[in-house]
């Protein structure tokens, strides 16, 4: 018997006869691409079509090969195909439903490719016809909603979500996707919630559901009332919120695990041996080569949940076993294409691994810890555009958390102590901290550690001013809470003070270069006012009186840096340049710091002279400080514990529009190459009559 080969919709016998034979489904597609109604000659045409295995490649290719004018000639047949696909979704036979869903994906993508050109036709008119669009989309959304909520096949539900993702991401700018108006009117929000609230379906489809929801929330969010925003903001069902949190935690954990694996592989490799041999001169370069694709899609979902829904804040603190420490045998999964934004979901094996019981040796974790670890990785290298966007989004999420009263309550809770192993950038002048030496502390300590780590590791030519401003704002908001609630946090504040002073020194030593691009006085003022916060209110939130003494010691020890800053801002505030007003604000803010320096320095010098000591120890300086507090006069500065609350629409709209565009492009790219294989689906239904 002659062997049959199959290529691009053609069947070719490998015997002497070389004439290619087309698959029946391809012949049927060709009939659709004629101007005549295919059902005229064959009344059972549409019924038979959905029993045929879909040839996605041929159908999409055929649509893309036609120009706008040619496509308009067969518009009626395209409309008819679209409508029959929707009708087939209500069929009892699952193979018909599968084929209809696949065909809809191909139609939407194929017509979209034409829509990108200058042919000028409307995608809604081309797919459905203006007169029938409303009814078509109503029926389509109702069918998808029924399939997603039914007890039936998981593969069908998966395909429904892929179709919806395909529909949402059909344009790069989702706000220009007019088809989504019908998705707003015919909401599938409740179906998404049902998936997330039910653990088995959440494990299977949670990732796609969460990404879909994040994208739908961003449809014309600044121009009109988006029902998905309204509904997400009032969700209070615990199971649903926990499901969403678990999906996000799993995706971020998977990223953290992949990074850790690559880091260990890197350290144990040849380059590591070479580095040990020649010293640490190449350590920074070696680290930069460790790269795992970031996941902005899932990060956007976390942001929308935290920003829109106050009830979700409780999910951040829900404890579970640390996912990276739980090891389970993982079966092979199909390899998805790596995209610039890593929109590929974690495998279901990773998702199910977190359900293992807690072991005495396994550290408990929560979504916030997982997120902080993720942030510590992506914020290390901001030279790459995607990591820069990820880093910015991480800081925006932390800003929302730092403003929330309930979030602050559990961040500062002494009864909720965790050991958080943040990733620290390898630097020549410091040793890598041993993981085992990490203390258990309230979670706010990890947030502060992350901010300090960012401050000390990003003083470079391509200065990320925007990220620095956000970083200092997060610290300030946490201090405002501590002052307001009189929380005495046992933290190594000296590390923060030292980092802030070094940042001021960097701004001064690179004044000319930085001023060409940035208003460095905004950042300098924020840093100085953080010190003013500690000076004015430190006695209400620093852990001990000696901590307050150490603050004064640091200011006095580093007085030259503050003196230099004062000289710089005084010079610029007395000139009639563009920085006059900004510099003068810093001049006024330095009044108390200068008062401390001018009050204590003469007394320290006098103490040294009287006691014939050339260089005083820290304890001796602290003794002088404690003895001379009474005669120090400070000015009360207003507004130190006030801040402007985060507002997305007024300040971040451009960033989110660009971010969502990137995510949309990459979700579509993943769908195009990976997720619509039909083999598994047909195998599942092959035994169903």
């Amino acid at each position: 018997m002659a062997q049959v080969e199959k290529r691009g919709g053609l069947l070719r016998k490998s015997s002497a006869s070389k004439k290619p034979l087309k698959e029946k489904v391809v012949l049927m597609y060709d009939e659709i691409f004629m101007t005549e109604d295919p059902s005229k000659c064959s009344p059972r045409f549409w019924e038979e079509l959905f029993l045929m295995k879909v040839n996605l490649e041929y159908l999409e290719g055929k649509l893309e090969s036609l120009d706008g004018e040619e496509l308009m000639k067969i518009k009626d047949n395209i409309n008819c195909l679209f409508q029959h696909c929707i009708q087939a979704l209500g069929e009892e036979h699952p193979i018909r439903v599968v084929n209809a869903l696949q065909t809809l994906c191909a139609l939407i993508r194929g017509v979209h490719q034409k829509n990108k050109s200058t042919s000028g036709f409307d995608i809604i008119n081309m797919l459905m016809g203006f007169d029938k669009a409303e009814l078509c989309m109503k029926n389509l959304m109702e069918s998808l909603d029924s399939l997603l909520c039914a007890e039936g096949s998981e593969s069908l539900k998966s395909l429904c979500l892929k179709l919806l993702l395909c529909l949402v991401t059909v344009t790069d700018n989702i706000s220009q996707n007019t088809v989504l108006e019908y998705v707003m009117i015919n909401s599938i929000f409740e179906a998404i919630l049902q998936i997330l609230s039910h653990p088995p379906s959440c494990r299977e489809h949670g990732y796609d559901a969460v990404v879909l929801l994040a994208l739908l929330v961003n449809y014309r969010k600044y121009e009109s009332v988006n029902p998905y925003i309204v509904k997400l903001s009032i969700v209070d069902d615990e199971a649903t919120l926990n499901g969403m949190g678990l999906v996000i935690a799993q995706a971020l954990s998977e990223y953290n695990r992949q990074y850790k694996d690559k880091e260990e592989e890197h350290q144990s490799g040849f380059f590591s041996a070479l580095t040990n041999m020649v010293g640490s001169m190449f350590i920074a370069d070696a680290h930069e080569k460790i790269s795992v694709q970031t996941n902005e899609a899932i990060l956007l979902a976390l942001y929308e949940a935290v920003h829109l829904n106050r009830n979700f804040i409780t999910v951040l603190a829900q404890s579970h076993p640390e996912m990276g420490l739980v090891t389970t045998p993982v079966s092979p999964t199909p390899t998805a294409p790596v995209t610039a934004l890593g929109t590929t979901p974690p495998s279901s094996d990773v998702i199910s691994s977190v359900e293992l019981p807690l072991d005495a040796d396994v550290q408990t974790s929560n979504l916030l810890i997982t997120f902080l670890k993720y942030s510590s990785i992506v914020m290390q290298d901001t030279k790459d555009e995607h990591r820069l966007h990820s880093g910015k989004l991480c800081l925006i999420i932390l800003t929302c958390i730092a403003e929330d009263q309930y979030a602050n309550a559990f961040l500062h809770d002494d009864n909720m102590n965790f050991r958080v192993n943040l990733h620290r950038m390898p630097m020549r002048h410091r040793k890598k901290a041993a993981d085992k030496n990490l203390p258990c502390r309230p979670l706010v300590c990890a947030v502060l550690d992350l901010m300090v780590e960012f401050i000390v590791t990003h003083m470079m030519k391509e200065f990320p001013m925007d990220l620095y401003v956000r970083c200092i704002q997060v610290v300030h908001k946490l201090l405002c809470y501590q002052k307001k609630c009189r929380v005495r946090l046992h933290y190594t504040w000296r590390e923060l003070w030292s980092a802030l002073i070094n940042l001021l020194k960097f701004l001064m030593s690179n004044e000319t270069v930085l001023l060409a691009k940035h208003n460095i006085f905004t950042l300098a003022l924020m840093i100085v006012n953080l010190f003013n916060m500690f000076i004015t209110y430190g006695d209400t939130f620093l852990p001990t009186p000696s901590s307050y003494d150490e603050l004064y010691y640091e200011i006095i020890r580093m007085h030259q840096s503050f003196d230099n800053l004062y000289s710089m801002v005084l010079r610029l505030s007395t000139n009639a340049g563009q920085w006059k007003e900004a510099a003068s604000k810093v001049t006024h803010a330095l009044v108390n710091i200068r008062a401390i320096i001018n009050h204590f320095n003469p007394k320290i010098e006098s103490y040294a002279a009287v006691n014939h000591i050339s260089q005083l120890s820290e304890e001796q300086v602290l003794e002088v400080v404690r003895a001379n507090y009474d005669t120090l006069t400070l000015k009360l500065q207003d507004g130190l514990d006030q801040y402007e609350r985060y507002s997305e629409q007024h300040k971040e709209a451009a960033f989110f529009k660009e971010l969502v565009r990137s995510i949309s492009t990459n979700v579509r790219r993943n769908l195009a190459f990976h997720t619509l294989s039909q083999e598994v689906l047909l195998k599942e239904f092959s035994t169903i009559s």
Side-chain angles (χ1 to χ4, degrees):
M1 191 176 177
Q3 191 179 357
V4 177
E5 294 177 34
K6 179 183 167 188
R7 281 197 192 92
L10 302 178
L11 296 174
R12 180 192 295 277
K13 288 186 180 179
S14 57
S15 62
S17 171
K18 294 295 181 184
K19 189 177 178 181
L21 300 171
K22 286 188 176 181
E23 288 177 80
K24 184 170 181 183
V25 74
V26 170
L27 292 169
M28 295 182 86
Y29 291 155
D30 287 344
E31 286 187 57
I32 295 169
F33 285 95
M34 303 291 181
T35 51
E36 290 290 318
D37 180 353
S39 63
K40 270 187 181 178
C41 300
S42 174
R44 292 173 58 83
F45 179 87
W46 299 112
E47 195 179 327
E48 289 177 10
L49 179 66
F50 297 110
L51 287 173
M52 302 288 163
K53 181 181 172 184
V54 177
N55 189 323
L56 282 169
E57 190 181 343
Y58 185 84
L59 185 53
E60 279 187 61
K62 190 80 174 173
L63 284 164
E64 288 173 29
S65 68
L66 301 176
D67 63 32
E69 201 174 308
E70 289 171 323
L71 206 55
M72 283 305 291
K73 286 178 183 175
I74 58 160
K75 175 185 155 315
D76 289 346
N77 282 358
I78 298 291
N79 290 173
C80 209
L81 174 58
F82 197 86
Q83 286 162 30
H84 278 91
C85 284
I86 295 169
Q87 285 174 24
L89 295 182
E91 295 271 356
E92 286 185 16
H93 202 306
I95 286 182
R96 288 186 192 276
V97 181
V98 168
N99 288 330
L101 288 167
Q102 297 267 12
T103 306
L104 283 168
C105 287
L107 264 180
I108 291 163
R109 284 209 306 259
V111 172
H112 162 67
Q113 291 300 322
K114 295 286 94 190
N115 202 37
K116 287 167 75 174
S117 67
T118 55
S119 54
F121 66 81
D122 187 279
I123 192 167
I124 292 175
N125 190 34
M126 193 66 233
L127 286 172
M128 299 165 259
F130 287 129
D131 54 334
K132 295 175 184 166
E134 196 170 325
L135 184 60
C136 268
M137 285 304 296
K138 180 176 181 289
N139 292 338
L140 174 61
M141 297 307 293
E142 283 177 358
S143 294
L144 293 175
D145 187 78
S146 298
L147 289 166
L148 287 171
C149 295
E151 292 286 315
S153 157
E154 296 304 320
S155 295
L156 268 184
K157 289 182 184 180
S158 178
L159 199 52
C160 287
L161 287 168
K162 303 303 182 198
L163 173 58
L164 285 163
L165 283 168
C166 179
L167 195 66
V168 172
T169 61
V170 80
T171 54
D172 291 348
N173 181 349
I174 64 170
S175 293
Q176 290 177 353
N177 183 356
T178 46
V179 179
L180 288 191
E181 281 299 326
Y182 301 106
V183 182
M184 296 294 121
I185 297 164
N186 305 285
S187 174
I188 44 135
F189 185 80
E190 284 70 24
I192 293 172
L193 293 199
Q194 186 172 313
I195 287 168
L196 295 174
S197 64
H198 190 50
S201 66
C202 187
R203 277 197 299 276
E204 197 76 33
H205 314 296
Y207 185 91
D208 282 346
V210 163
V211 171
L212 176 63
L213 183 58
L215 289 168
L216 288 171
V217 160
N218 279 276
Y219 174 71
R220 302 191 66 192
K221 69 193 310 192
Y222 309 119
E223 294 103 60
S224 60
V225 177
N226 180 323
Y228 290 86
I229 292 177
V230 177
K231 289 178 179 181
L232 178 58
S233 67
I234 57 173
V235 173
D236 59 1
D237 179 64
E238 196 176 332
T240 304
L241 294 171
N242 286 343
M244 189 185 297
L246 192 61
V247 170
I248 295 167
Q250 284 149 2
L252 297 182
S253 288
E254 177 68 0
Y255 176 91
N256 295 346
R257 186 192 61 75
Q258 286 179 18
Y259 183 86
K260 190 177 180 183
D261 290 349
K262 280 205 173 187
E263 191 177 43
E264 287 172 0
E265 181 187 318
H266 199 77
Q267 286 168 353
S268 63
F270 170 76
F271 195 91
S272 176
L274 183 65
T275 304
N276 291 336
M277 191 167 61
V278 299
S280 60
M281 61 188 289
F282 298 119
I283 195 163
D285 296 328
H287 184 73
E288 281 175 15
K289 292 179 184 178
I290 303 170
S291 178
V292 179
Q293 301 302 327
T294 52
N295 193 332
E296 272 84 355
I298 215 72
L299 208 55
L300 178 68
L302 175 59
Y303 164 74
E304 297 296 357
V306 168
H307 179 231
L308 294 174
N309 191 305
R310 287 211 62 210
N311 299 313
F312 188 79
I313 294 292
T314 61
V315 176
L316 294 173
Q318 290 280 353
S319 292
H320 56 67
E322 186 157 25
M323 297 173 197
L325 296 178
V326 180
T327 54
T328 53
V330 177
S331 58
T333 53
T335 306
V338 177
T339 67
L341 287 171
T343 48
T344 308
S347 70
S348 57
D349 299 288
V350 175
I351 289 173
S352 59
S353 70
V354 298
E355 293 208 329
L356 292 178
L358 271 173
D359 187 275
D361 299 323
V362 174
Q363 156 91 3
T364 55
S365 185
N366 57 42
L367 175 53
L368 182 60
I369 292 173
T370 305
F371 167 66
L372 290 173
K373 289 181 179 181
Y374 178 90
S375 301
S376 70
I377 297 169
V378 298
M379 284 164 61
Q380 285 179 37
D381 177 20
T382 55
K383 292 172 188 171
D384 170 73
E385 187 185 359
H386 295 303
R387 279 171 174 260
L388 182 67
H389 284 164
S390 260
K392 181 173 178 174
L393 190 48
C394 288
L395 284 167
I396 290 174
I397 293 167
L398 284 170
T399 301
C400 294
I401 291 169
E403 286 183 6
D404 188 88
Q405 186 79 3
Y406 181 79
N408 267 305
F410 74 70
L411 281 175
H412 292 85
D413 190 342
D414 263 336
N415 298 313
M416 288 179 64
N417 292 326
F418 292 90
R419 187 175 288 111
V420 184
N421 179 24
L422 298 175
H423 288 262
R424 284 158 59 90
M425 191 184 288
M427 298 179 81
R428 297 182 190 92
H429 60 272
R430 69 178 184 187
K431 291 181 179 178
K432 187 175 179 181
D435 297 352
K436 291 178 183 176
N437 297 334
L438 292 167
C440 274
R441 301 172 299 168
L443 283 169
V444 69
C445 296
V447 179
L448 289 167
D449 283 349
L450 182 62
M451 298 302 98
V452 170
E453 177 67 12
F454 180 84
I455 291 168
V456 299
T457 55
H458 288 78
M459 298 180 215
M460 51 195 180
K461 284 181 184 176
E462 291 298 317
F463 188 69
M465 172 64 84
D466 178 55
L467 300 193
Y468 265 106
V469 168
R470 293 174 193 279
C471 178
I472 302 300
Q473 284 173 339
V474 170
V475 175
H476 179 234
K477 286 168 183 179
L478 294 172
L479 291 182
C480 288
Y481 174 83
Q482 290 166 25
K483 179 258 173 185
K484 178 185 171 186
C485 298
R486 295 183 173 265
V487 177
R488 295 191 180 276
L489 184 69
H490 287 269
Y491 182 71
T492 48
W493 292 110
R494 198 174 256 191
E495 287 184 13
L496 174 64
W497 300 330
S498 174
L500 293 171
I501 293 167
N502 284 331
L503 179 53
L504 283 176
K505 285 162 74 175
F506 176 81
L507 294 178
M508 287 183 284
S509 59
N510 295 276
E511 175 194 344
T512 310
V513 176
L514 292 175
L515 274 178
K517 295 180 181 178
H518 311 288
N519 176 3
I520 60 172
F521 303 108
T522 303
L523 185 57
L525 180 64
M526 292 171 74
I527 296 166
V528 170
N529 278 337
L530 276 188
F531 278 102
N532 286 330
M533 256 307 261
F534 282 105
I535 293 163
T536 310
Y537 302 117
D539 59 326
T540 66
F541 63 83
L542 285 171
T544 59
S546 63
S547 302
Y548 196 72
D549 301 338
E550 285 170 8
L551 167 68
Y552 277 64
Y553 174 78
E554 281 300 310
I555 292 170
I556 295 160
R557 185 175 73 87
M558 301 302 292
H559 73 89
Q560 195 61 55
S561 298
F562 291 108
D563 291 343
N564 292 345
L565 176 63
Y566 182 74
S567 300
M568 182 181 90
V569 292
L570 190 65
R571 165 170 52 83
L572 287 160
S573 62
T574 51
N575 295 338
Q578 72 176 109
W579 304 116
K580 181 175 181 176
E581 189 181 345
S584 64
K585 286 180 182 176
V586 183
T587 311
H588 296 311
L590 281 164
V591 62
N592 280 344
I593 292 174
R594 296 193 72 245
I596 290 167
I597 292 166
N598 294 334
H599 176 74
F600 286 106
N601 266 359
K603 291 179 170 49
I604 290 165
E605 287 165 12
S606 172
Y607 180 93
V610 168
N611 292 283
H612 307 290
I613 304 168
S614 60
Q615 196 168 356
L616 270 65
S617 66
E618 180 178 335
E619 194 47 53
Q620 288 167 328
V621 172
L622 287 171
E623 189 183 324
V624 176
V625 167
R626 291 186 192 107
N628 290 280
Y629 272 133
D630 293 347
T631 51
L632 173 65
T633 305
L634 297 174
K635 286 188 177 179
L636 187 63
Q637 294 174 305
D638 293 328
L640 292 175
D641 58 344
Q642 305 295 315
Y643 58 79
E644 185 183 351
R645 289 187 69 84
Y646 169 77
S647 170
E648 179 190 320
Q649 186 166 353
H650 298 108
K651 295 190 175 178
E652 312 297 347
F655 167 70
F656 279 102
K657 279 179 181 174
E658 194 53 44
L659 181 72
V660 173
R661 179 187 287 268
S662 286
I663 292 168
S664 175
T665 304
N666 285 280
V667 168
R668 185 173 68 245
R669 192 178 299 158
N670 266 359
L671 286 170
F673 291 110
H674 171 56
T675 52
L676 298 175
S677 169
Q678 203 182 30
E679 301 299 328
V680 176
L681 294 162
L682 291 176
K683 195 173 181 181
E684 182 182 336
F685 300 129
S686 61
T687 56
I688 300 174
S689 57

